[in-house]
Amino acid sequence: MTSLGGQFSARRLGDSPFTIRTEVPGGPESRGALRKMSDLLELMMKRMDMLARLENSSELHRAASVAHLAADRLTPGASLIERIQAIAQNVSDIAVKVDQILRHSLILHSKVSEGRRDQCEAPSDPKFPDCSGKVEWMRARWTSDPCYAFFGVDGTECSFLIYLSEVEWFCPPLPWRNQTATRTAHKSLPRVQAMFRSNLSHLLELMGSGKESLIFMKKRTRRFTAQWTKAAKYLAQKLGDIRRDQKQILVHIGFLTEESGDVFSPRVLKGGPLGEMVQWADILAALYMLGHSLRVTVSLKELQSNLGVPPGRGNCPLTVPLPFDLIYTDYHGLQQMKQYMGLSFKKYRCRIRVIDTFGTEPAYNHEEYATLHGYRTNWGYWNLNPKQFMTMFPHTPDNSFMGFVSEELNETEKQLIKDGKASNMAVVYGKEASIWKGKEKFLAILNKYMEIHGTVYYESQRPPEVPAFVKNHGLLPQPEFQQLLRKAKLFIGFGFPYEGPAPLEAIANGCIFLQSRFSPPHSSLNHEFFRGKPTSREVFSQHPYAENFIGKPHVWTVDYNNSDEFEATIKAIMNTQVDPYLPYEYTCVGMLERINAYIQHQDFCGGPSPVPLGSNTAQSLFVLAPNATHLEWAQNISSVPGAWPPPHSLRAWLAAPGRACTDACLDHGLVCEPSFFPFLNSQDAFLRLQVPCDSTEWEMHHLYPAFAQPGQECYLQKEPLLFSCAGASTKYQRLCPCRDFRKGQVALCQGCL
């Protein structure tokens, strides 16, 4: 009987002889299923005959006794052979009945098809220009993906048109179909108000387990629970009675899936980069504390289940409307969703938020433009709104600054740190031995003034790249690393890794951060690390945020190739005292405030821009500032519904030739705001700035709107996805939209809460 059972268990579910597939009624697949039934019945009868002949043999006496005992438990008084014979007879009867049903279905199907043959031809409807072409494709390729059969496609013209009109949307509805179900709009449930939460215990369950990366993230979340709880309480009081709708949110961490290689989990305990996991842990905590409903997935199977992906290879739309208002993922997850969501990906991609460490500029994001102008990389070309990409630091205004958090200290803790600081202790930023290679020269200089400590991972032997005079602690758990920073005076970087969380943690614990200046700056043009990344940004130091947004006395940036400058800096740092410092935007309340504003105000699924591109309104939106240097939003112009940030904070300058809008706005103590470009993209803006436009052209270019001095030509932007704060050319003076920002919260304007 074990052998007989194997005949059933060895088959896949879809190949079971008891499963009659009906892709084509009465067709070869169904006939084949009946033949399998017949073959199996014959095999069963042969096995029963063999058991009968051997029933009295001594070799099978024990097995037969056990079999009879089992049969008695199932059906008292019946032998095993009799039971199998009864089952076989039932199966035989079912097979006969199924054959009769299939024959009747074939006849009925033929009659129905004959009666509707004229109704199942691809219609010529100008509203559905792709219908006939899609029918041709389905006719040739409908068997290429099992998902078509899942939705009822069986190879007939009618099934093609039903699918293309009711599942996809390339053909008009068929008049003889019952349209009640297809026309009934999906009724959304009443919105529930989001309430701030007071603990993270349930989130820890949602995060799952089994991966070192998840263990690391959960430990971090537990360690910051008190800070998140305090921050949520504070923000709840600050926002008062403002209603916040609870969002259904899916968080899919694609780089942790097995299909993407999950390269981070094995490196968690070996000194690998943890910045991404730090950020993801904090994103999950922030979303949860804000009171939203979360699902967390770290496997492709979980993703497919939560999205409602039909069985097959991913060519068909989702089986149900997407149940999530927002999806947070990364580039790996973005690729996975595109692969399995079919046409639904295009429909729902406006709900996606991509956690993107280094950012994606519009020139790389627009697929056609990137392909034509040499900006195509492995990571861009998604045609998203650039604000859907969310970065670790606020270095690219074209994207949204997501961030993370660092530990925040109270006044008592700050004073204890100041009292316990060693005056001559330095900790090196770098857990991998390769980072230390070739740094002997300035390490020797540093060693003259300070005791040097390292946290380099090793298994058995001390890494040879780490000099003998360095006290290496090995890889430390985060709490112990924090204690080391609290004692140290200096945290020194070697130029890599770029823009990680550790320097902010060091500064928050009272360290001075010393880093190298890059000359020339590192970018995708001259440095392997940035090659292929969807940004042209030039990095002038290891941690540009620390240099530009914090600066001295907490951050010192010097040329490490200049020994005299390096040594002079070390001497100056020895005589410099600093207090622990953490920018507001990297506190728990700062991150909660920022993400809450994004969730409540960012909507990329709406219609076109609030002001039509290039519209010539009867009344100008702008006035020239009293000093005649820039434009301001006219006071008599009412606010624009749905516009966020509110446009009354707009200030617009004509940048100098070769100057990017990012830099032009910073020159005036403001930040570039790409969502304001549609307001400026008009002849009126140039006119109000008294720019002499001899001609005006509409073109697709990531530097437009702009003015070209030779020829006095003005250029307006034709493609909204290409509005970009980044990029410059000596040929153009760019028209740049700027805005104010909240102190310590550069992502939000003064009136953005």
Side-chain angles (χ1 to χ4, degrees), residues 133-181:
K134 288 293 181 180
V135 170
E136 287 293 329
W137 189 95
M138 291 291 291
R139 190 179 294 123
R141 300 289 304 279
W142 75 273
T143 58
S144 63
D145 193 323
C147 71
Y148 297 117
F150 173 83
F151 281 111
V153 177
D154 58 14
T156 63
E157 297 293 304
C158 285
S159 69
F160 296 156
L161 288 171
I162 292 170
Y163 174 84
L164 290 170
S165 62
E166 297 179 13
V167 180
E168 296 184 4
W169 45 88
F170 292 104
C171 294
L174 299 174
W176 50 269
R177 289 282 292 176
N178 181 0
Q179 300 298 321
T180 305

Side-chain angles (χ1 to χ4, degrees), residues 30-340:
S30 302
R31 301 290 181 186
L34 291 176
R35 282 196 298 270
K36 289 182 180 180
M37 275 189 177
S38 177
D39 294 341
L40 187 59
L41 286 171
E42 183 178 352
L43 177 62
M44 291 172 67
M45 295 307 297
K46 289 181 179 179
R47 294 295 174 90
M48 286 188 291
D49 289 341
M50 181 179 67
L51 287 173
R53 287 195 301 270
L54 299 175
E55 188 173 18
N56 296 323
S57 67
S58 58
E59 293 182 8
L60 292 182
H61 182 72
R62 185 184 301 274
S65 299
V66 173
H68 279 290
L69 180 60
D72 289 342
R73 290 175 180 168
L74 293 172
T75 309
S79 69
L80 180 60
I81 299 299
E82 292 170 344
R83 184 64 176 161
I84 292 176
Q85 287 175 332
I87 293 173
Q89 183 59 50
N90 288 336
V91 172
S92 180
D93 293 342
I94 291 172
V96 172
K97 290 179 181 179
V98 169
D99 188 39
Q100 292 173 349
I101 292 172
L102 289 175
R103 291 176 184 276
H104 180 265
S105 298
L106 181 60
I107 295 172
L108 180 62
H109 181 77
S110 298
K111 290 181 179 179
V112 172
S113 298
E114 184 68 27
R116 291 179 176 160
R117 181 170 297 169
D118 59 332
Q119 296 177 296
C120 290
E121 294 180 358
S124 179
D125 188 333
K127 296 180 181 179
F128 299 89
D130 298 322
C131 183
S132 59
K134 288 293 181 180
V135 170
E136 287 293 329
W137 189 95
M138 291 291 291
R139 190 179 294 123
R141 300 289 304 279
W142 75 273
T143 58
S144 63
D145 193 323
C147 71
Y148 297 117
F150 173 83
F151 281 111
V153 177
D154 58 14
T156 63
E157 297 293 304
C158 285
S159 69
F160 296 156
L161 288 171
I162 292 170
Y163 174 84
L164 290 170
S165 62
E166 297 179 13
V167 180
E168 296 184 4
W169 45 88
F170 292 104
C171 294
L174 299 174
W176 50 269
R177 289 282 292 176
N178 181 0
Q179 300 298 321
T180 305
T182 57
R183 289 180 181 176
T184 301
H186 177 68
K187 295 182 179 180
S188 57
L189 296 175
R191 283 292 184 183
V192 177
Q193 186 168 357
M195 306 298 293
F196 286 96
R197 293 188 171 99
S198 58
N199 68 77
L200 292 162
S201 57
H202 181 55
L203 173 63
L204 297 175
E205 298 176 12
L206 292 175
M207 291 170 70
S209 59
K211 294 176 178 285
E212 289 293 344
S213 49
L214 293 176
I215 294 172
F216 170 86
M217 291 165 62
K218 291 170 76 169
K219 285 182 179 178
R220 176 179 175 83
T221 302
R222 288 191 191 96
R223 190 161 59 86
F224 279 81
T225 294
Q227 287 187 217
W228 284 116
T229 303
K230 181 180 178 182
K233 184 177 180 180
Y234 173 83
L235 187 58
Q237 295 174 346
K238 185 176 181 178
L239 294 179
D241 297 330
I242 298 177
R243 179 181 173 84
R244 301 179 307 112
D245 288 339
Q246 185 186 67
K247 305 291 186 181
Q248 300 296 317
I249 298 177
L250 174 65
V251 179
H252 176 61
I253 311 177
F255 74 88
L256 293 184
T257 61
E258 298 298 331
E259 290 79 9
S260 68
D262 189 14
V263 296
F264 284 92
S265 291
R267 302 177 66 188
V268 169
L269 301 179
K270 297 183 178 181
L274 303 178
E276 286 84 354
M277 280 171 278
V278 165
Q279 187 181 33
W280 274 109
D282 296 348
I283 290 170
L284 284 167
L287 294 173
Y288 187 79
M289 293 303 286
L290 286 170
H292 299 292
S293 177
L294 298 187
R295 296 273 186 91
V296 183
T297 62
V298 292
S299 75
L300 197 54
K301 184 177 180 180
E302 292 174 321
L303 174 67
Q304 292 173 312
S305 174
N306 280 282
L307 291 178
V309 173
R313 299 185 177 91
N315 290 312
C316 296
L318 302 181
T319 57
V320 294
L322 186 69
F324 302 104
D325 302 299
L326 292 168
I327 299 177
Y328 288 82
T329 189
D330 51 30
Y331 262 120
H332 294 283
L334 194 62
Q335 183 65 51
Q336 291 166 350
M337 282 189 283
K338 182 180 181 182
Q339 181 180 357
Y340 288 99

Side-chain angles (χ1 to χ4, degrees), residues 364-643:
Y364 297 82
N365 169 64
H366 192 281
E367 184 175 17
E368 179 185 355
Y369 186 81
T371 303
L372 292 175
H373 295 83
Y375 293 102
R376 184 71 180 252
T377 70
N378 291 334
W379 302 104
Y381 65 82
W382 286 93
N383 291 327
L384 301 178
N385 185 308
K387 282 287 187 181
Q388 290 177 253
F389 297 99
M390 307 190 122
T391 59
M392 186 173 280
F393 291 95
H395 47 57
T396 304
D398 293 315
N399 305 147
S400 299
F401 162 47
M402 172 60 77
F404 57 93
V405 302
S406 288
E407 189 167 1
E408 191 174 5
L409 308 175
N410 58 39
E411 293 303 318
T412 301
E413 291 170 324
K414 290 179 180 179
Q415 189 59 49
L416 288 173
I417 288 176
K418 290 174 64 177
D419 295 340
K421 280 287 181 185
S423 60
N424 64 340
M425 178 178 171
V427 175
V428 173
Y429 181 17
K431 296 174 292 186
E432 294 183 338
S434 59
I435 296 175
W436 294 65
K437 190 174 182 180
K439 310 301 187 298
E440 297 83 2
K441 185 176 181 180
F442 56 79
L443 278 172
I445 296 174
L446 180 63
N447 188 48
K448 290 164 54 178
Y449 301 92
M450 291 189 173
E451 179 184 275
I452 305 175
H453 294 249
T455 57
V456 183
Y457 168 80
Y458 65 95
E459 293 183 353
S460 56
Q461 296 181 344
R462 179 188 178 93
E465 295 88 348
V466 181
F469 54 76
V470 174
K471 184 177 181 181
N472 186 29
H473 299 263
L475 195 63
L476 293 176
Q478 195 66 15
E480 295 181 29
F481 180 64
Q482 293 283 338
Q483 292 302 317
L484 189 65
L485 292 177
R486 293 186 177 189
K487 295 178 183 178
K489 182 180 184 66
L490 177 67
F491 189 62
I492 180 171
F494 286 170
F496 189 84
Y498 299 99
E499 301 181 310
L504 265 67
E505 294 176 350
I507 296 167
N509 282 287
C511 293
I512 291 174
F513 177 52
L514 176 62
Q515 63 171 345
S516 59
R517 180 184 296 114
F518 301 146
S519 182
H522 294 181
S523 71
S524 59
L525 300 177
N526 63 8
H527 204 275
E528 187 62 34
F529 179 83
F530 291 102
R531 190 162 289 119
K533 291 183 171 57
T535 174
S536 299
R537 187 167 63 99
E538 293 182 325
V539 178
F540 288 85
S541 63
Q542 179 177 353
H543 207 292
Y545 176 86
E547 178 184 11
N548 298 323
F549 287 85
I550 301 177
K552 289 183 178 180
H554 301 279
V555 180
W556 297 58
T557 306
V558 300
D559 182 4
Y560 280 21
N561 295 318
N562 187 327
S563 299
D564 294 336
E565 181 184 359
F566 181 80
E567 187 165 2
T569 301
I570 298 297
K571 291 179 180 179
I573 289 174
M574 294 287 291
N575 297 318
T576 302
Q577 301 296 322
V578 296
D579 294 333
Y581 172 72
L582 179 62
Y584 175 77
E585 54 201 355
Y586 284 96
T587 65
C588 288
V589 68
M591 187 169 184
L592 284 177
E593 181 181 84
R594 186 167 60 251
I595 295 182
N596 178 69
Y598 289 156
I599 291 174
Q600 298 306 314
H601 298 293
Q602 283 186 337
D603 180 9
F604 306 115
C605 298
S609 303
V611 172
L613 298 180
S615 62
N616 293 312
T617 56
Q619 192 174 13
S620 177
L621 301 174
F622 316 105
V623 295
L624 190 64
N627 59 5
T629 60
H630 64 279
L631 298 179
E632 297 179 352
W633 191 261
Q635 293 183 353
N636 59 346
I637 299 295
S638 59
S639 61
V640 180

